[in-house]
Amino acid sequence: MSFAAHALAQVEPPLVGVHLLWSGPFAWVYSPVGWAIQRRPFQRRFPLDCLDLTPSQIAVLRARHLLAIRFGTLTDRDDVGPIALDLPSAEVVIPTETNATREVITLELASPQPQVIVRAGAKLSFAAALRDGKVVAASADVAGVVNHTLAALGIDTVVVYALGLTALGYCVRRDDATDDWRDAATIARVQIPIRELMPSLSTPAAEFAEAKSRLLPGESLDEGDFAHIAGILRQVVQTDGPPRPLDLALLVREDTSSEFTELRALDPLLSVLPHPKWRRVLGFSYVDRDTGLVPGQGYEYRVIGGWPAADLVDRVYGFHTLPSGTPLAAE
């Protein structure tokens, strides 16, 4: 099962470190077994599959403006003027020779890649990687024979700008490559701080103490607010599937004289996760403040959760009630 995760580095005091945040699969959101967080210095370890275009392939690409290779589809066009890229951090303008016509070669990848190396021989060349139409990595404008290394999750397009291109090739991760994290350090284990999921928290006071331990300097947590959300979450996690949390309904009311409000069981959890403090309190975010982290060094993280294996293969049927007498189709 896959889920979304993100990391934000901060080098300015007072909260120097890497802020991690994630959410579990849609059917669960939380992890019944908790979350383990691993970290290692960034260094791509997978073997590469490389392909260098032959002179005849380059000629066909220029003549037809289209060429299929085993990594995807190449297109070719001419362009004039400076290259302007809207990167996430700022707009970057790459100057080129005035009024020079350059080739723009675009590779639409058959499958997203975490890293693409462009091997180019040219008077000048420059490369950029895109995901969903947005630039996620770019190289410098370099003369001669060079390897442009572009690294970012989910690269789906690579664009090469070149003057006087004589050679072009690409390297991507080999299909049978695996990424081994066995030597990576586990820096934290977190979970929703309630005794149903963390049996060591045997009292409400212990639960609240664990929740407060996740606060950053200057933050505070109201014990009543925590007890309220913890009480609701108990009702969700006490159902030891099936059904999945997604398939459960939650009836809530302010007091015994009020009408029940029906919610999806995961709605209360989802409603507080957008708040950074509550994400950390409930174990969906972690700030890596290790003093050994080096500004300028790249790191990569892995967040691991666990869910019932049946949720990967079970077919789920839904049942709906209809007013008596409603006409139904024959099938």
Side-chain angles (χ1 to χ4, degrees):
M1 301 178 78
S2 61
F3 55 92
H6 196 57
L8 300 169
Q10 182 171 339
V11 296
E12 301 86 0
L15 297 178
V16 176
V18 180
H19 299 249
L20 307 170
L21 60 155
W22 60 88
S23 292
F26 183 67
W28 279 84
V29 179
Y30 73 95
S31 167
V33 299
W35 307 95
I37 304 166
Q38 292 180 288
R39 181 192 68 218
R40 68 185 182 189
F42 176 82
Q43 179 184 349
R44 288 298 177 197
R45 296 165 172 78
F46 42 73
L48 297 175
D49 181 10
C50 296
L51 171 67
D52 292 312
L53 272 66
T54 64
S56 61
Q57 286 178 310
I58 294 176
V60 169
L61 176 61
R62 286 170 171 162
R64 300 179 180 175
H65 306 290
L66 183 70
L67 180 68
I69 61 175
R70 68 171 179 265
F71 301 152
T73 303
L74 290 166
T75 57
D76 174 81
R77 65 181 175 85
D78 292 333
D79 194 20
V80 179
I83 305 166
L85 294 177
D86 186 14
L87 292 170
S89 57
E91 183 182 57
V92 177
V93 177
I94 309 297
T96 58
E97 293 186 1
T98 305
N99 297 323
T101 300
R102 63 178 172 273
E103 281 186 277
V104 182
I105 300 174
T106 301
L107 171 60
E108 298 284 348
L109 289 160
S111 60
Q113 297 291 328
Q115 184 184 56
V116 178
I117 298 174
V118 179
R119 308 201 289 203
K123 184 178 179 181
L124 280 173
S125 65
F126 168 82
L130 289 78
R131 180 178 65 239
D132 296 329
K134 303 292 185 180
V135 176
V136 291
S139 69
D141 204 355
V142 184
V145 178
V146 64
N147 287 343
H148 300 286
T149 300
L150 307 170
L153 291 178
I155 296 172
D156 56 32
T157 305
V158 175
V159 183
V160 178
Y161 302 82
L163 291 173
L165 180 75
T166 57
L168 182 63
Y170 299 90
C171 295
V172 302
R173 181 171 60 178
R174 211 169 65 197
D175 287 340
D176 61 351
T178 58
D179 199 2
D180 188 356
W181 281 78
R182 283 179 295 181
D183 296 331
T186 297
I187 61 171
R189 296 182 185 276
V190 294
Q191 176 60 286
I192 298 175
I194 56 178
R195 54 185 175 274
E196 287 77 7
L197 295 175
M198 297 182 67
S200 62
L201 306 178
S202 58
T203 66
E207 294 176 337
F208 185 57
E210 173 64 25
K212 287 197 301 180
S213 72
R214 303 173 183 182
L215 298 176
L216 295 177
E219 293 181 334
S220 62
L221 180 65
D222 182 82
E223 187 169 2
D225 289 342
F226 173 75
H228 175 70
I229 188 65
I232 294 176
L233 295 180
R234 290 187 212 283
Q235 308 305 312
V236 178
V237 305
Q238 283 174 350
T239 301
D240 187 13
R244 308 167 300 172
L246 177 68
D247 304 319
L248 296 173
L250 187 66
L251 300 178
V252 297
R253 58 182 176 181
E254 291 294 328
D255 52 61
T256 56
S257 63
S258 302
E259 293 291 329
F260 280 108
T261 299
E262 182 175 329
L263 304 174
R264 293 185 305 170
L266 292 170
D267 284 350
L269 178 59
L270 293 170
S271 68
V272 297
L273 289 188
H275 195 289
K277 179 179 73 176
W278 279 102
R279 288 194 73 95
R280 276 183 279 102
V281 165
L282 297 177
F284 291 84
S285 181
Y286 178 79
V287 182
D288 183 6
R289 303 179 69 191
D290 189 337
T291 56
L293 293 174
V294 179
Q297 168 69 49
Y299 298 93
E300 57 186 348
Y301 294 83
R302 185 166 75 153
V303 181
I304 307 166
W307 298 271
D311 278 3
L312 296 175
V313 297
D314 275 1
R315 179 174 295 178
V316 178
Y317 296 92
F319 295 88
H320 305 268
T321 58
L322 296 171
S324 177
T326 301
L328 298 177
E331 296 182 357

